[in-house]
Amino acid sequence: QQSPLHLFGSIGLPMFMLGFSIDLFLVLRGFLVTGVIGHFAMLLFGVLLMLMGIQLIATGLIGELIIRMNRQNSESVPVENVLNFTSSQHPEQL
């Protein structure tokens, strides 16, 4: 059973790292070799990959929070209160 953070993080983290690597390469090459940061489309592609990676990781974190909140709520409420009947009543009578 995988958690949402494992699922979305395993996709989002490599995307973020790839985008960061692309942009780091372009910026370092621009500063050290050519003097200008060229390949504007590739630079935007790197930024897009980083943003998508952050979005996926954030989605995994939100999924974890939702699961944790539901787990806490379900453990703290007795089943009788959830189903709204007492122990003297049977579910068939409802």
Side-chain angles (χ1 to χ4, degrees):
Q1 181 181 14
Q2 274 191 337
S3 67
L5 188 57
H6 285 137
L7 178 66
F8 288 106
S10 65
I11 300 168
L13 189 62
M15 285 178 79
F16 179 82
M17 295 304 293
L18 179 63
F20 184 79
S21 301
I22 289 171
D23 285 346
L24 183 67
F25 169 75
L26 290 174
V27 168
L28 289 177
R29 193 185 83 182
F31 284 149
L32 300 176
V33 178
T34 62
V36 238
I37 300 175
H39 298 286
F40 186 69
M42 196 64 161
L43 189 68
L44 284 180
F45 181 64
V47 171
L48 176 73
L49 284 175
M50 286 194 295
L51 288 175
M52 288 174 58
I54 290 171
Q55 287 285 324
L56 285 170
I57 292 169
T59 302
L61 285 172
I62 291 171
E64 288 287 333
L65 286 173
I66 290 172
I67 287 176
R68 185 165 302 212
M69 287 176 62
N70 285 339
R71 188 178 303 145
Q72 287 175 353
N73 288 341
S74 66
E75 289 175 358
S76 63
V77 178
V79 176
E80 290 85 17
N81 293 351
V82 173
L83 296 177
N84 203 13
F85 66 88
T86 61
S87 59
S88 63
Q89 294 175 329
H90 294 289
E92 298 89 27
Q93 295 174 348
L94 296 176

